[in-house]
Structure formats: C-alpha cells, structure tokens
Amino acid sequence: MSSTAIESKTEQFANAPVPESETVDGWRVALILTGFAISLPSFLSSAQISSALGMRDAFLVSLLAGLLLCAMGCLTSVVSVRTRLTTYLLVQRSFGRSGAALVNIAIAFVHFGWFGVNAAFFGNAMVAGTQEVLGVSGPFAAFVVVGGILMAITTIYGFRALDRLALIAVPILALILGAVVVMAVQRYGVISAPDPTPPEPMSFGIALSALIGGNMLTVAAMPDLTRYIRSARQSVLGMLLSFPVAIPLLTLAAAIPVLATGEIDIMRLIIGFGLGVPALLVLILSTWTINSANLYSASLSLTATFPSVAQWKFTLVAGVLGALLAVAGILDAFVSFLLLLGAIIPPIAAIYVIDAFRSNHTQAPVHWPAVVTWAVSAGIALLANAGYFTLTSVPALDATLAASLMYGVWSRAKRV
C-alpha cells in the first residue's frame, strides 16, 4: 500500500472506528513503541537516574517502570481495540467537546516542551560538531533558534521525507549507543556504584515517577496506534514486547558508560570515545526527525481546537516557542519536566479508560466531573513532587490512583 493511500485511510478513520479489514498484529505496534524508546531524551533520563541510584537500583526502577507502563498501556490499548477510536475521540467522550479542547491545549504544550528538549540536544550536537571540525565552539542559542525555525519549515513542507529518514536514524542511533557501551566496558570495565555527587540527586520514587512521566504521553495517546491492532489479546502482547523490554535495556545502555566515565552528556561521550562527526550527524538527524513529529502532533492538537487557524501557523509558533524553551534551559530542568508530565498526563488516560469500560460518554460541552478530577489529581501529584505528602512515594502513581478513585466513585454513582 502506498504512503498516500495510508495517509488517506488514516484521515478517513480520524473521526470513525477503524474497520477490521485494516487491523494488524500487536508485535508491529511493539516495534514502533520500541523505536520511540530509543531516543536522546530517554538516554538522558536513564543516565541521570543511573548516576543518582547506581546500576542495580536504576535497573530495578526501569524494570518496574516498564511493567507499570505496560499495565497502563494494556488498559489504553484494550480500550482502543474495543472502540477503534482515536485518543481525541475518547477524550471528547469523557471531557466533552470544549473540555477535550482544554486537554488538547495541554497536550500541545507538552509537545512544545519535548521540542525544547530535543532542540537543546540539537544545539549541543552542533556545538560539539563545530568544535570537532573547526576547533571553535559555535553559539548554542543561534544553533537552537535557526534549527528550530528550519525544523518548523521542513515539517510544513517535507514531513513525509523526514518521517522516512526516522526509519533509518533510529536503528543507527541504537548502534551508536551500543558502540558507546562496548567501548566503555573495554576501557573501564563495569562499574555499578552510584556517583557520590550526581548532577540530579533523586530518590527511588522520584526516579520511577520521572521514567513513567517521560513515557506517559505515549501511553495516553496509545489509541492512535493500537486501534489498528487485531484483537485485545494482540494488544496486550504488543505492550509486553515493548515497555518491559525497551526501557530496562536502554537504562543499562546508559548506566554502563555513565557510571564508568561520570559523564551524562551523550555528545561528550561520543567525542570521548572517538566516534566523531558521523555519529554527531546521526544525532542531529534523529533530533530533527523526532522534533518534526513533535511539531506535527502539537499543530494537530491545536488545529483540532482552533479549526479556523491554518495548521502551518501553529507549526511555526510551536517551533519558535520550543526553541525559546531550549535556550531558556529546559534541559537543565529535564527531571522537573518529566515529573510535571507524570502529574498531568496519567489522569487523562485513567478518566477515558474508566468511561470506556463503563460505556459512558457525555453530550455536555464540558463534563465537569472529568475536568475537576483531572485538576485535583494533577494537583495531588504536584504536591507529592514538592514533598508535602505522598500516597505511594511515586507522584505519577499518586495522580493515577487519585484520578481512578475519584472518577470511579463518580462513575459508579452514575453521576457521569
């Protein structure tokens, strides 16, 4: 089937259930999810966790995060297989049309943040590349701003080509990370002790919440992919083959070189192990393609909310705002960003899952029980992040449990 035909069918099913004739096996979606996990932000979060906790506890955190994300992914994917609906339509059935617009805006701003994170990686790679080739350090802010604008333009005019390049960049990035691991073992052996002065100190619970938060947008938006899976059993298989495998493996790939060298910056690791400019070019390509996907998703969310505004305008605005976040130092607050995602995203999925299993859907413009549940449960997680109190010691789980309990009570009382 041609790419044009696939896009046509995707648009055709944007506001309708996917027909059974278009479904696929669960392992195919598992491959896509594994590709999502092999990224520079995932490496950074795993590197910071490994530095703070050491290899053993970092691996345990990643394994537990993989299992929890698998469990939550099973719920959202089974819902999508039963309904064959997109995430946006499921959210709309729970929050109402105007309430879903509020969720869409929040998700768009999350994509802005992810764009900023990847734009910072792009700027760092460009700085390292100019240092390696020319012997001078280029201007980080200029690289980020110009790169952000170019990413926005290429997303508008050449997203299909960049999407195909991602199929090449992700496997090569995995090979580069593997080469870094092998070189670290050969040069330093395997060191498992944590860094006595880690760049980002954190507890086991905070580390777990950060890992969950970093992957929770994928879980919440899972129906966009998993509605194409043939059966509920196949969707569960897809989840088992993705998160519990990919996240622990990436954590080990980060922990081994980081604990051996004390360096969490992937650019410096690549230069230090002599992989040089070709590897940096792959990093630039991978961040470019991932950020095009972030811009595309953000513009889709905002276009659905404000249909009178052309999508390309949102793409440009998202590119500029994301670049400004990168220049402002979002990478320095990366763990805080992940913890914020762990607070605001899980309740959305919990709410639409409960409604889907109870066959509820609202006709109101704003379904206030869903909106209030979202706000309160996110607030509980943010208080846990700040250290005021916690239900489980893992803020992302606090948000999920609070939303499930509150909205479950409302649902059971037939007040939805």
Side-chain angles (χ1 to χ4, degrees):
M1 185 181 296
S2 69
S3 60
T4 303
I6 292 172
E7 287 172 6
S8 175
K9 287 183 178 298
T10 301
E11 292 174 3
Q12 178 184 351
F13 308 139
N15 295 297
V18 173
E20 293 295 326
S21 60
E22 300 297 325
T23 58
V24 299
D25 290 331
W27 65 265
R28 294 177 62 178
V29 172
L31 288 178
I32 297 173
L33 295 176
T34 301
F36 289 166
I38 303 173
S39 65
L40 298 184
S42 297
F43 182 92
L44 176 60
S45 62
S46 296
Q48 291 177 328
I49 289 170
S50 301
S51 180
L53 301 182
M55 188 177 299
R56 188 197 66 176
D57 284 354
F59 181 76
L60 290 176
V61 163
S62 66
L63 185 59
L64 185 55
L67 292 173
L68 289 171
L69 288 165
C70 175
M72 290 184 277
C74 285
L75 292 174
T76 56
S77 63
V78 166
V79 162
S80 68
V81 170
R82 288 184 175 184
T83 63
R84 302 293 184 198
L85 298 177
T86 65
T87 306
Y88 178 71
L89 290 177
L90 289 169
V91 168
Q92 191 177 89
R93 286 166 57 154
S94 292
F95 286 80
R97 186 172 297 275
S98 298
L102 181 63
V103 174
N104 254 4
I105 292 172
I107 289 176
F109 275 96
V110 168
H111 284 297
F112 292 168
W114 277 122
F115 183 93
V117 168
N118 282 286
F121 276 113
F122 173 85
N124 286 336
M126 290 297 295
V127 169
T130 55
Q131 180 68 44
E132 182 80 359
V133 175
L134 303 176
V136 296
S137 294
F140 171 78
F143 284 139
V144 167
V145 173
V146 173
I149 294 172
L150 290 175
M151 289 172 191
I153 293 172
T154 52
T155 301
I156 294 170
Y157 291 105
F159 179 74
R160 293 181 190 176
L162 286 171
D163 191 43
R164 295 189 186 101
L165 285 175
L167 298 176
I168 302 172
V170 169
I172 296 177
L173 177 58
L175 289 175
I176 291 173
L177 295 179
V180 169
V181 170
V182 171
M183 291 178 181
V185 172
Q186 289 176 342
R187 188 175 300 183
Y188 302 102
V190 177
I191 298 173
S192 60
D195 189 334
T197 57
E200 191 71 43
M202 64 183 83
S203 65
F204 191 97
I206 292 298
L208 181 57
S209 193
L211 266 185
I212 292 174
N215 292 278
M216 199 59 212
L217 182 59
T218 300
V219 172
M222 192 73 72
D224 292 340
L225 286 174
T226 51
R227 64 196 177 115
Y228 286 93
I229 294 180
R230 186 160 291 119
S231 66
R233 180 177 295 179
Q234 283 287 321
S235 72
V236 171
L237 175 64
M239 297 305 104
L240 290 172
L241 293 176
S242 55
F243 292 116
V245 177
I247 294 177
L249 285 179
L250 185 66
T251 297
L252 286 178
I256 290 171
V258 166
L259 293 175
T261 63
E263 178 60 70
I264 67 170
D265 188 335
I266 185 62
M267 313 304 167
R268 293 180 181 174
L269 284 171
I270 283 176
I271 295 297
F273 285 115
L275 295 176
V277 174
L280 290 173
L281 289 175
V282 172
L283 298 189
I284 291 170
L285 176 61
S286 68
T287 55
W288 196 299
T289 55
I290 289 171
N291 260 0
S292 289
N294 278 317
L295 289 182
Y296 187 67
S297 297
S299 63
L300 281 179
S301 295
L302 291 174
T303 302
T305 307
F306 306 101
S308 61
V309 181
Q311 185 174 337
W312 69 266
K313 295 180 180 179
F314 285 127
T315 302
L316 283 179
V317 169
V320 172
L321 289 179
L324 291 176
L325 285 173
V327 173
I330 190 172
L331 211 55
D332 296 329
F334 184 53
V335 171
S336 298
F337 174 62
L338 297 183
L339 293 175
L340 176 64
L341 298 190
I344 65 175
I345 300 299
I348 298 171
I351 289 166
Y352 77 65
V353 164
I354 289 172
D355 273 341
F357 275 105
R358 296 186 66 84
S359 300
N360 290 333
H361 62 275
T362 183
Q363 302 297 329
V366 179
H367 188 222
W368 288 108
V371 173
V372 170
T373 297
W374 180 30
V376 171
S377 54
I380 289 172
L382 292 174
L383 289 174
N385 284 337
Y388 288 104
F389 72 92
T390 180
L391 301 174
T392 65
S393 79
V394 182
L397 290 184
D398 289 354
T400 306
L401 289 176
S404 300
L405 290 172
M406 288 180 60
Y407 201 70
V409 170
W410 256 314
S411 179
R412 191 171 183 81
K414 297 182 179 179
R415 294 172 62 182
V416 297

